[in-house]
Amino acid sequence: MPEQSLHEQKKNRRYKSIIRTAESLFIQHGLDDVQMQHISDAEGIGIATLFRYFPKKEKLVVAVAVYNLERNIPDFKRLVATNKPAYER
């Protein structure tokens, strides 16, 4: 069982790494100009491996958006907890 756990950890690290790489390329070049091949090249993986994680570019775009939202949740919670009027938040 520990091997499966190690495998899952490695898979999760790869998943997050792909998202970070895609995010960086999207910021640098724009969503429309980045192809899946660019992401796989930058990540140093084969295109088939990338498509196993994200069968469509749209799914990767959504994963990047979710990743960004999750990073900002603590900031949103802090803003909601303040006693300032909504406009000032």
Side-chain angles (χ1 to χ4, degrees):
M1 253 277 210
E3 291 180 53
Q4 186 178 13
S5 177
L6 184 60
H7 173 73
E8 289 300 318
Q9 290 174 7
K10 184 177 177 183
K11 191 174 174 181
N12 192 37
R13 282 193 302 270
R14 170 66 70 195
Y15 179 87
K16 289 179 181 178
S17 181
I18 291 169
I19 290 172
R20 288 190 298 270
T21 298
E23 176 187 38
S24 176
L25 290 172
F26 292 156
I27 290 169
Q28 289 175 14
H29 305 288
L31 290 174
D32 292 334
D33 291 335
V34 176
Q35 297 178 10
M36 294 295 270
Q37 186 65 55
H38 298 139
I39 297 165
S40 69
D41 290 346
E43 185 64 20
I45 59 174
I47 191 74
T49 301
L50 177 59
F51 277 111
R52 263 187 254 127
Y53 284 90
F54 299 98
K56 295 182 178 186
K57 181 179 173 184
E58 291 79 15
K59 291 186 181 287
L60 181 51
V61 170
V62 169
V64 170
V66 168
Y67 173 74
N68 277 299
L69 285 172
E70 287 175 344
R71 280 193 311 203
N72 291 304
I73 286 175
D75 294 330
F76 294 139
K77 286 182 178 180
R78 191 173 53 253
L79 283 173
V80 169
T82 64
N83 290 329
K84 296 179 181 180
Y87 183 75
E88 290 180 28
R89 290 182 208 178

